[in-house]
Amino acid sequence: MTYTSASALLSTPATTISFHELKVWPACFAAVLSGSKPFDVRFNDRQYKVGDALLLREYEPESEQYSGRSTERWVSYLLQGGSFGLEEGWCVLGLAEHPPLPAGVHDTRLW
């Protein structure tokens, strides 16, 4: 599902981002939480873009149930398929722990 939201995730209501809720298997979920996996490879059926918000929900494939654990990340980088050995239609999402800064803000000391 894709939702358009801004005020819930960013401090500037003029910025519009997409929100994606994604299933993540336990080993990958743990690696994202620990910081050792700052990326995700996905089929790009959602038209991901830099700045999108992701709700990553831990999913148990054997029981086909969610564990109840989740974490938020933001797309910080997007590598489209069709280059660097990545098949067309797939993408690599760079994951950031914090939402992107609003346009024009470059110095977080003043934030």
Side-chain angles (χ1 to χ4, degrees):
M1 273 196 234
T2 302
Y3 303 94
T4 301
S5 174
S7 58
L9 297 171
L10 295 177
S11 58
T12 55
T15 304
T16 301
I17 60 173
S18 294
F19 173 82
H20 307 278
E21 186 174 319
L22 303 172
K23 292 179 183 176
V24 181
W25 288 16
C28 291
F29 186 83
V32 168
L33 282 184
S34 74
S36 63
K37 185 177 184 279
F39 64 90
D40 202 16
V41 178
R42 293 273 169 173
F43 185 69
N44 195 0
D45 57 347
R46 298 172 181 237
Q47 311 312 312
Y48 297 106
K49 62 186 179 304
V50 171
D52 283 357
L54 308 174
L55 176 62
L56 305 177
R57 297 183 62 203
E58 185 178 37
Y59 181 78
E60 300 280 352
E62 295 83 23
S63 65
E64 297 183 356
Q65 304 238 341
Y66 289 99
S67 72
R69 297 193 322 157
S70 65
T71 188
E72 291 180 341
R73 293 293 187 271
W74 284 263
V75 177
S76 60
Y77 184 81
L78 178 64
L79 176 64
Q80 296 285 1
S83 61
F84 297 103
L86 189 60
E87 189 175 328
E88 190 73 38
W90 288 79
C91 66
V92 177
L93 305 173
L95 304 178
E97 289 188 40
H98 303 287
L101 294 173
V105 175
H106 305 288
D107 189 347
T108 58
R109 293 175 299 170
L110 302 175
W111 191 249

